[in-house]
Amino acid sequence: MGILALLVALGCHFWTVSRIGGWNQLVAFGVFFCWPAGVIPLIILWGDDEHDIRVPFFCTVGFVLLAVLMLHGGKGGEDAALLLPLQWLA
């Protein structure tokens, strides 16, 4: 299931890059290879009806976090509890 979450995150990332590409292709190229750089166009394009990337950007982040939790959340024993408090999931 974690692989499925990663594939959905990849699709959301392509959606984000395509929305940014309509605004600035050079920035879209940079975001394609380094998705955290999408925070800059997220702030700049916030509220723009045609190029707003709030939904695809936060979907990408959400599905990446979901995939990380699904793939690595149960591994590592007590050491994993130090990295991410998972008590609220139980």
Side-chain angles (χ1 to χ4, degrees), residues 45-69:
L45 298 173
W46 193 278
D48 184 1
D49 291 334
E50 187 176 347
H51 304 293
D52 193 7
I53 61 166
R54 281 182 287 189
V55 173
F57 182 82
F58 289 121
C59 284
T60 301
V61 172
F63 280 110
V64 165
L65 290 176
L66 179 66
V68 167
L69 285 174

Side-chain angles (χ1 to χ4, degrees), residues 13-90:
H13 181 63
F14 288 148
W15 180 21
T16 303
V17 169
S18 69
R19 296 289 295 263
I20 295 171
W23 171 66
N24 187 329
Q25 292 179 352
L26 185 61
V27 174
F29 183 77
V31 170
F32 179 78
F33 290 106
C34 181
W35 70 266
V39 172
I40 295 167
L42 175 70
I43 294 169
I44 293 172
L45 298 173
W46 193 278
D48 184 1
D49 291 334
E50 187 176 347
H51 304 293
D52 193 7
I53 61 166
R54 281 182 287 189
V55 173
F57 182 82
F58 289 121
C59 284
T60 301
V61 172
F63 280 110
V64 165
L65 290 176
L66 179 66
V68 167
L69 285 174
M70 292 175 83
L71 293 173
H72 301 289
K75 298 178 183 172
E78 295 175 3
D79 294 335
L82 298 174
L83 298 175
L84 181 65
L86 298 175
Q87 290 82 13
W88 58 274
L89 290 176

